[in-house]
Amino acid sequence: MPMIQRQNGFAMIEVMVTVVIITIGISGMGMLLMRAIQGTHDSAQQSQAMWIVQDYIGRMRANPDGALARFYELNPADIDCTAPPAICAETYQDGAEVAASTCANTDAKTNAASPMASFDNWITTCGLNTTIYDSASDFVVNPELTSTCTSTSPRENRLTFSASCVQYQVTLTWDTKIKKGSTDENERTNKNNFSMIVEFN
């Protein structure tokens, strides 16, 4: 009889210990899953950033005269997304057709290089449609694309009659994972960036 009394409640203690162990295990798995989701999200944003920069560089290479003339120097603060630039080609913006601008200059190549660069800068920064996701920048948090001429040639450019830009650094900066331990939103936001160098002859 005394042996039976000494074992009263032993099964309940085992159940409670088991519940504690399971709770700790589930919490750990939850944290691991959150880290995995965060890592996947960061990787996806990095891939989109690479795509944006490579697409922009492709546009520069399609307009080498504009690149040499430094028309691809880009500061996001200088872009007005509410006012698309004129271009000598028909475009669709917000589902409506926009007629081509008149290219009246006798040198069509000279006349097209600057508007083409302006449109490339605008379309990469702003996208074509405000109601659908039509740009890779729609999937990156607060993207800022900058393009800076990092090297010039003493050879005079035939469009601007100044030194030609033969090298650009294109950089995309965006917001990424959040830091804990601060009440200031600016301190909780990390910045990430991706850069590429492009050269012209």
Side-chain angles (χ1 to χ4, degrees):
M1 188 66 111
M3 289 293 291
I4 295 175
Q5 288 179 348
R6 280 198 296 270
Q7 293 182 7
N8 279 346
F10 186 71
M12 182 60 70
I13 293 173
E14 288 180 333
V15 170
M16 291 177 64
V17 170
T18 303
V19 168
V20 170
I21 293 172
I22 291 174
T23 303
I24 293 171
I26 291 174
S27 299
M29 288 178 63
M31 291 292 292
L32 186 63
L33 182 61
M34 287 178 61
R35 290 292 174 90
I37 292 171
Q38 186 177 31
T40 301
H41 181 69
D42 291 345
S43 177
Q45 291 208 335
Q46 182 81 14
S47 297
Q48 290 293 338
M50 290 172 61
W51 188 93
I52 293 169
V53 171
Q54 289 172 352
D55 177 72
Y56 184 71
I57 288 175
R59 290 174 181 273
M60 294 171 72
R61 286 185 170 152
N63 184 13
D65 290 328
L68 291 170
R70 303 182 75 154
F71 295 150
Y72 282 93
E73 289 188 298
L74 173 62
N75 182 342
D78 298 335
I79 302 293
D80 180 7
C81 288
T82 62
I87 186 172
C88 303
E90 292 182 352
T91 58
Y92 278 86
Q93 296 166 18
D94 285 328
E97 183 178 345
V98 178
S101 299
T102 304
C103 298
N105 196 305
T106 53
D107 185 349
K109 192 172 184 181
T110 300
N111 189 57
S114 177
M116 185 175 178
S118 297
F119 185 78
D120 288 340
N121 292 338
W122 183 85
I123 194 67
T124 304
T125 304
C126 304
L128 273 176
N129 197 310
T130 57
T131 58
I132 61 172
Y133 295 122
D134 68 336
S135 169
S137 60
D138 292 325
F139 301 94
V140 180
V141 181
N142 297 327
E144 286 189 357
L145 183 71
T146 58
S147 178
T148 307
C149 180
T150 53
S151 180
T152 58
S153 166
R155 183 180 63 226
E156 187 179 85
N157 184 270
R158 70 179 189 83
L159 301 183
T160 60
F161 304 106
S162 59
S164 295
C165 181
V166 293
Q167 185 182 81
Y168 285 86
Q169 179 174 353
V170 181
T171 303
L172 183 75
T173 304
W174 70 96
D175 291 344
T176 184
K177 55 190 175 184
I178 304 299
K179 295 180 188 174
K180 293 182 179 179
S182 174
T183 56
D184 186 350
E185 182 180 352
N186 293 327
E187 291 180 2
R188 295 198 310 269
T189 304
N190 284 340
K191 291 283 187 183
N192 204 350
N193 66 74
F194 177 78
S195 294
M196 286 185 72
I197 300 291
V198 58
E199 296 183 347
F200 295 90
N201 295 324

